[in-house]
Structure formats: C-alpha cells, structure tokens
Amino acid sequence: MVSFNIKAYLFILVFQASLAADCKSQQVADPNFLVSIEHPSYLAEKGPMLLVDEAHNNPFSMKGQYVGFAQVAAKDGYRLSTTNIALSANQLEEARIFVSINAIYNPTDWNLPTHSIYTDEEIELLFNWVMEGGSLLLVTDHMPCAGSVSALATKFGFNLINGFALLDYPAPELFSASLGNLYASAVTQHASRPVEQIRFWGSTGFIAPKEAEVITALTDAYKVYLPSKIEDVTYPVASTVPYISGKGLANSALLKVGKGRVALFADGAVFSAQLQGVKSEKRGMNHPDAEHHVNLLLNVLQWLAEKP
C-alpha cells in the first residue's frame, strides 16, 4: 500500500464494500483508462463467455468500479454476462469462466463471525462444474471478504486467511522476480505478454494446495492480522490483536483440478482501474506500478479458457 495510515486505508476499504453510500465520489472507475489490444485472442464477442457474479453483495460491478476489467475482457473478444440471482446449473451451461469478485457475506457488519456468502448447494454446484471442465476466477480481499468465500476456496484445497496482510513498513506492495516474491508461472511467462511486476493494495494470504502454481507470495515482512472486530485494525495495530507471519503464504495462485481450472487472487484492486479519494489517485491497472496488469489479466483469462 502507498501509505501505512491504516485509518485512511480502512475508510477506502469501507467505501469499496459499499458501506458508505454518501462516499461514492471517493472511488470511481477511471474514465481515462482505455485499452487497445493489437491482436485479440478472439473476434469481437466470439470468444468464451465469462459469467460474472453480481448476486452475492459484490461491491464491484462490470458497469461500476470493475468496468476496466470488463473493457479488457471485451477487447480480447470474450463475451460477458452478469448474474444477480442465486447460482444454478442453467446459468453455467454456456459459461466458460465463472468470475467472483469480492463477494461478501454482510456489507454492513465486518466483525466476526464471518459466514459463507455462497450456500452449500452453490459451492457443490461450482465444484462439480469445475471438475467437469469449467473454470473459476475467484478474486477476494482481506477480512471479511476472505471469510465470506473461505468455504468455496476450501472446497478446492485453498485455506484462505480471514485477516489483513500488512507490511511492517510503509511501502508499495510490489511483487517481482528480483524481489523474490513473484514466481515463474503459466501467466507470468507468456511468450508475447510478459508479467515482470505485480502490485497489490492490501490483501490477505492463503495456504495453497501442493498441486497449485503460486504466482505471488507474502514474505516475513508481512503480518496477517486476525482481528475479531474491524475497529481493532487501527494504527498502530495494538499488540493485543493476534497475527501470523506472512512467510509461506501465497496471495495469488493457479490450480488445475479435475478437468477444470481455478485462479485465486487475494486482492480486488489488481484487476480494477480506479481513481481513489479526493486527489483521484490511481489504483489498479491504471497505476504506473501496474503496467503489466493488463497482460496479467489477459494471460489469466487465456489460461482459464483453455480446454483440457
């Protein structure tokens, strides 16, 4: 994160989850974020279908703060469809990739306990669909987003930590091979779309199954705080707030499971393109530190769309 002022940071996050309706002007899609793809993967609207979940209190929509994501996908030829009702087998029939972004159980109460936003039936349906060849792009974030999709992630072998991953010092959260926290993977070693650096803006960590291909990982410079109440995360973080070391925890990964695939990212900002706060600071794919994020998104979608 750019600043270690946690109170200001939490204000941003509260808006991100649509908790403060009167602050909508503080976080908007960047209207100047325009993408041109010289060689699209598919002809316009002829590519695989992305079914984007907007039925589980998802604060980011394809016409709102995640319009940058929608723009990149559409420019590469993907078809986009959104759903605002409980998941069903009929909805998944035409979809190639199911996209879940920052689903949250209760947008008005971030305190523990955090319950699963997806029902057991929905989780079983998604799991079986992926096992039979579907693909899941699961984008989540710190508490309580991680806890809200923990049951879904666990079904695929990921242990999501329902906490806040914070650096011990104020610095941008950069991941690169030279820093030792960005790893060679199917989505970073693309022949024509390299990804040499990724930036995060606050996230959580997770334990990936041994079969997974980790993209980025936290280090021992991170602490993952585990508050029971959201107001416990203030600056400086009180010594009474429990935490674990970030060392050994991933924050993005790929997994082949059955005939299908899963990509998990623990920060919702990575694939956004936003203007943040009264100074309209860039966050996401529009940020100078994130010049490879469009490549990353294209590579992730391509990897998920590949047939087994």
Side-chain angles (χ1 to χ4, degrees):
M1 63 193 71
V2 178
S3 170
F4 204 59
N5 185 328
I6 301 302
K7 288 184 178 179
Y9 174 60
L10 283 177
F11 172 79
I12 290 168
L13 299 177
V14 166
F15 166 76
Q16 178 173 310
S18 298
L19 297 183
D22 60 340
C23 295
K24 288 184 179 180
S25 62
Q26 297 298 311
Q27 188 180 42
V28 297
D30 184 350
N32 295 317
F33 177 72
L34 302 174
V35 173
S36 176
I37 299 177
E38 187 175 355
H39 301 291
S41 299
Y42 308 95
L43 296 175
E45 299 185 1
K46 298 296 183 182
M49 178 181 287
L50 310 185
L51 179 61
V52 182
D53 183 16
E54 294 185 358
H56 295 85
N57 299 324
N58 312 80
F60 292 140
S61 71
M62 293 300 103
K63 293 182 179 179
Q65 288 105 320
Y66 243 57
V67 68
F69 174 99
Q71 180 190 158
V72 172
K75 286 291 183 70
D76 207 35
Y78 292 92
R79 293 173 291 143
L80 282 86
S81 178
T82 59
T83 176
N84 58 7
I85 60 174
L87 195 58
S88 68
N90 289 338
Q91 292 174 289
L92 292 171
E93 282 185 357
E94 293 186 34
R96 183 74 194 90
I97 303 170
F98 181 76
V99 182
S100 171
I101 304 163
N102 281 16
I104 185 171
Y105 177 73
N106 188 344
T108 64
D109 184 358
W110 285 25
N111 299 327
L112 296 183
T114 304
H115 301 287
S116 175
I117 183 59
Y118 290 102
T119 66
D120 291 345
E121 292 77 14
E122 288 176 312
I123 292 172
E124 195 67 24
L125 176 64
L126 272 173
F127 179 75
N128 291 334
W129 178 73
V130 171
M131 290 294 289
E132 290 302 315
S135 287
L136 169 65
L137 174 55
L138 180 57
V139 180
T140 188
D141 222 303
H142 51 75
M143 171 190 178
C145 292
S148 300
V149 298
S150 179
L152 175 60
T154 298
K155 190 70 175 180
F156 294 99
F158 294 95
N159 184 356
L160 264 172
I161 310 300
N162 191 33
F164 288 81
L166 301 175
L167 278 170
D168 283 336
Y169 49 84
E173 294 186 65
L174 301 179
F175 297 81
S176 68
S178 62
L179 293 173
N181 52 8
L182 174 66
Y183 303 105
S185 69
V187 299
T188 58
Q189 301 295 303
H190 192 283
S192 59
R193 293 193 297 255
V195 177
E196 298 175 358
Q197 178 175 284
I198 300 173
R199 178 167 176 173
F200 280 65
W201 282 266
S203 65
T204 188
F206 57 82
I207 300 171
K210 63 180 181 179
E211 300 86 3
E213 191 174 3
V214 173
I215 304 169
T216 56
L218 304 177
T219 66
D220 56 7
Y222 280 87
K223 288 184 175 69
V224 182
Y225 290 93
L226 307 170
S228 60
K229 297 181 179 180
I230 196 65
E231 57 263 30
D232 291 341
V233 188
T234 57
Y235 179 74
V237 181
S239 60
T240 54
V241 178
Y243 67 85
I244 59 175
S245 170
K247 187 175 182 179
L249 298 177
N251 57 353
S252 64
L254 309 172
L255 177 68
K256 293 181 180 179
V257 54
K259 298 178 181 179
R261 300 183 174 193
V262 178
L264 173 58
F265 286 80
D267 177 21
V270 172
F271 297 131
S272 70
Q274 305 170 54
L275 298 178
Q276 181 67 58
V278 294
K279 294 183 179 180
S280 295
E281 296 176 355
K282 293 182 178 182
R283 170 175 290 205
M285 294 184 289
N286 56 343
H287 195 281
D289 288 342
E291 62 178 338
H292 292 166
H293 281 216
V294 170
N295 281 356
L296 176 65
L297 177 53
L298 292 172
N299 294 349
V300 168
L301 293 179
Q302 183 182 68
W303 183 82
L304 288 170
E306 290 176 1
K307 296 286 187 179

